[in-house]
Amino acid sequence: MAKSSTILVATLAMAVGFMVFVISQIDLSIYSQSMHNSNAIGDAPWEILNNNTKSDKNGEYRSNNKMNIIQTGQQNRIVTNDNNIHLDEAILKTSNNNNDHDQSQATTKSIKNSKIKSKTKIVAITDSQYSQIALSWHRKLTSLGYTTHTIAAADDDSLTYLRSQTNISVEPLLHPQSSGWPVARGKPQELRRRIFATRWVYILGQLKLGNHILLTDADNIFVRYMPLEVMEDSEYDVFHAHCGDFPIRFLSMGFVVCGGMAWLRSSEGTVRYVASILEQCGWGGMDEDAEDGDGGAGDGMMMKAKAARCDDQQVVNSKFFFNSLNYTWDEEETRPRLEQGFWKGESSGRSLVTGHRFKLWSVDMCYRGPVNGTFGRCPDANVNWVAMPTNTMTSEKQLDKVRDRKLRVEQWFRFCRNGTSIGDVGFHL
């Protein structure tokens, strides 16, 4: 009788174990499928293996895992390595040589010598269709007093055109001898996704060089000068801008962030973050003939690499939505929520996977919304730094891109900037 009971108990235990295994696999399958089936999130879902965190005696989260990017065939995958951080040279060519690295300190460790103060490089990406808009963007930043801004051109026509202009800083988005050059090619959707994704290849190269990056769209309107030291001297690695109501699919989490308005510090945590974006975009890495000197054409400015392809705004928001980077918020009461409405304030947190600390600018600081304001008001003129109008107040149909952006600028100053304490600072094509 006892023997029969033992056999029964063992049989039940095996059955329960099998059911738990099946359920766990179903859960993982549903998660993976939801990532893979989401339009434009990327050609392949990002996989984090063995994400393991714990709290130290001071209550600070510490990850036991070090991230390692290895090349498998034509794809790069991010895995963990408990012995060191090694970001494979196919992507980063950066190694810390068996340092027992505490990821909770990633926000304070720069890629370059910390005694040399890094400067922020302000970058807008353009192709031949937007080259006039990018030219106006460059001239506007110059008039405001910025000196470290440049345009990264995605094709030969835009590169040639902008190089023909006076007092304009321009460089290729990738090395012109790269397999990914020109970046701007293919049908409209293909072209956009190549540009949106490959700008993160450029950013990765710049972070490696020790440059902080302020990434902006070429049609973003800078309305005043704000010292970049505001970000450089902060405790944060990445700043995001609220992005109104797009992508709609992620609005249920209470907020969405823009792909084309962000500040990124040259730190190890940020490098891991950017690498995760490129992995999700299915980036193939550096060209096979790229050497150490081919971070650029002799000056380290251009990556000799393959182009990537994805909608980066979908990718960046998916990381918050699915919490694949294990984000935590510094103050739960300031975490963006739907009930807060459109005009959200600042909030901040960190990723327990990459170690980077992030902050969301307030909507007043970086405004994306209707050109004539939202819910009866415009952003606070004493706070607003950047405007990203989403429309024009016109009955004209099918405006070309240059005319549409010109109207957005003109109408922005008519509806939301004239008569404010800052006044009409001007921006004209």
Side-chain angles (χ1 to χ4, degrees):
M1 182 69 179
K3 184 176 182 180
S4 298
S5 299
T6 301
I7 293 173
L8 178 61
V9 170
T11 303
L12 288 173
M14 290 175 64
V16 170
F18 178 76
M19 290 176 64
V20 170
F21 171 79
V22 170
I23 291 171
S24 68
Q25 295 305 304
I26 291 173
D27 287 343
L28 287 171
S29 176
I30 291 172
Y31 175 81
S32 177
Q33 192 67 25
S34 68
M35 291 287 283
H36 186 69
N37 288 343
S38 300
N39 275 342
I41 284 183
D43 293 332
W46 185 46
E47 198 173 4
I48 299 181
L49 308 179
N50 191 26
N51 175 22
N52 201 7
T53 58
K54 66 179 181 180
S55 178
D56 65 16
K57 63 182 181 181
N58 296 318
E60 294 293 331
Y61 281 103
R62 182 186 301 250
S63 173
N64 290 328
N65 302 306
K66 311 302 180 282
M67 301 195 67
N68 181 28
I69 299 176
I70 61 175
Q71 190 165 7
T72 307
Q74 295 301 312
Q75 277 197 327
N76 300 290
R77 299 183 62 200
I78 297 177
V79 298
T80 56
N81 184 326
D82 290 331
N83 297 321
N84 69 344
I85 298 174
H86 181 76
L87 304 177
D88 188 80
E89 65 179 8
I91 294 182
L92 306 175
K93 297 180 181 172
T94 301
S95 174
N96 286 335
N97 297 326
N98 297 315
N99 290 331
D100 185 13
H101 179 70
D102 177 0
Q103 287 190 4
S104 69
Q105 301 302 316
T107 57
T108 61
K109 192 166 184 178
S110 297
I111 299 298
K112 294 293 184 180
N113 190 332
S114 60
K115 294 181 180 180
I116 303 174
K117 185 174 179 60
S118 298
K119 293 297 182 182
T120 295
K121 189 173 184 178
I122 311 173
V123 181
I125 316 300
T126 192
D127 63 1
S128 57
Q129 297 182 77
Y130 278 86
S131 55
Q132 292 183 49
I133 298 168
L135 179 61
S136 297
W137 170 89
H138 191 286
R139 288 173 173 166
K140 177 58 189 174
L141 265 66
T142 300
S143 72
L144 288 175
Y146 290 107
T147 59
T148 60
H149 49 296
T150 192
I151 301 170
D155 55 27
D156 290 307
D157 288 346
S158 58
L159 186 61
T160 300
Y161 169 75
L162 292 166
R163 280 177 170 171
S164 71
Q165 307 299 309
T166 58
N167 300 318
I168 299 297
S169 173
V170 59
E171 58 195 65
L173 184 58
L174 289 180
H175 194 296
Q177 295 179 3
S178 297
S179 60
W181 185 265
V183 178
R185 65 182 186 226
K187 295 181 179 180
Q189 185 182 71
E190 171 76 9
L191 181 150
R192 287 193 299 272
R193 290 185 178 182
R194 283 175 61 91
I195 292 176
F196 290 157
T198 306
R199 61 185 175 183
W200 293 93
V201 178
Y202 173 91
I203 289 169
L204 184 63
Q206 293 297 317
L207 296 176
K208 283 177 51 185
L209 293 170
N211 295 322
H212 309 320
I213 291 293
L214 177 61
L215 173 67
T216 94
D217 283 339
D219 55 359
N220 289 359
I221 305 169
F222 284 75
V223 299
R224 66 179 174 92
Y225 179 86
M226 183 177 77
L228 299 173
E229 287 80 7
V230 171
M231 282 78 71
E232 293 174 352
D233 295 341
S234 75
E235 61 184 298
Y236 303 104
D237 294 282
V238 179
F239 283 75
H240 297 284
H242 286 281
C243 213
D245 60 1
F246 184 81
I248 295 174
R249 66 195 304 175
F250 299 126
L251 279 177
S252 61
M253 68 179 173
F255 69 100
V256 286
V257 298
C258 293
M261 185 64 206
W263 183 86
L264 302 103
R265 182 185 303 280
S266 175
S267 69
E268 292 174 350
T270 311
V271 166
R272 287 190 289 266
Y273 169 66
V274 173
S276 78
I277 293 173
L278 288 170
E279 206 281 340
Q280 192 169 326
C281 288
W283 181 47
M286 302 291 289
D287 282 342
E288 292 181 3
D289 63 343
E291 299 176 357
D292 286 339
D294 284 333
D299 58 4
M301 301 300 286
M302 299 164 285
M303 295 281 280
K304 192 171 184 182
K306 300 173 178 66
R309 177 187 176 275
C310 69
D311 184 334
D312 62 339
Q313 191 155 306
Q314 300 277 352
V315 170
V316 169
N317 280 284
S318 76
K319 294 187 181 300
F320 281 105
F321 189 83
F322 295 109
N323 204 21
S324 60
L325 295 184
N326 204 355
Y327 286 121
T328 64
W329 297 88
D330 290 336
E331 298 180 27
E332 186 62 23
E333 59 269 23
T334 64
R335 178 175 64 84
R337 293 180 172 84
L338 280 175
E339 56 266 29
Q340 294 172 337
F342 178 83
W343 295 98
K344 294 179 172 65
E346 297 179 343
S347 52
S348 61
R350 62 172 302 168
S351 163
L352 302 183
V353 172
T354 65
H356 82 275
R357 288 188 50 75
F358 68 89
K359 183 172 185 177
L360 274 65
W361 285 301
S362 70
V363 175
D364 280 307
M365 174 70 81
C366 295
Y367 170 85
R368 181 165 178 79
V371 72
N372 60 336
T374 302
F375 298 113
R377 84 169 179 94
C378 292
D380 186 339
N382 294 307
V383 176
N384 186 227
W385 179 38
V386 176
M388 300 169 276
T390 57
N391 66 313
T392 60
M393 303 288 288
T394 179
S395 59
E396 294 184 53
K397 303 294 184 182
Q398 295 182 333
L399 294 172
D400 67 77
K401 290 181 173 62
V402 174
R403 176 61 179 158
D404 175 79
R405 269 39 179 197
K406 181 178 181 181
L407 273 176
R408 291 188 192 193
V409 171
E410 292 174 349
Q411 292 176 0
W412 170 255
F413 288 113
R414 185 190 315 164
F415 289 111
C416 272
R417 301 302 298 180
N418 283 343
T420 67
S421 60
I422 292 180
D424 184 355
V425 295
F427 184 102
H428 303 286
L429 291 173

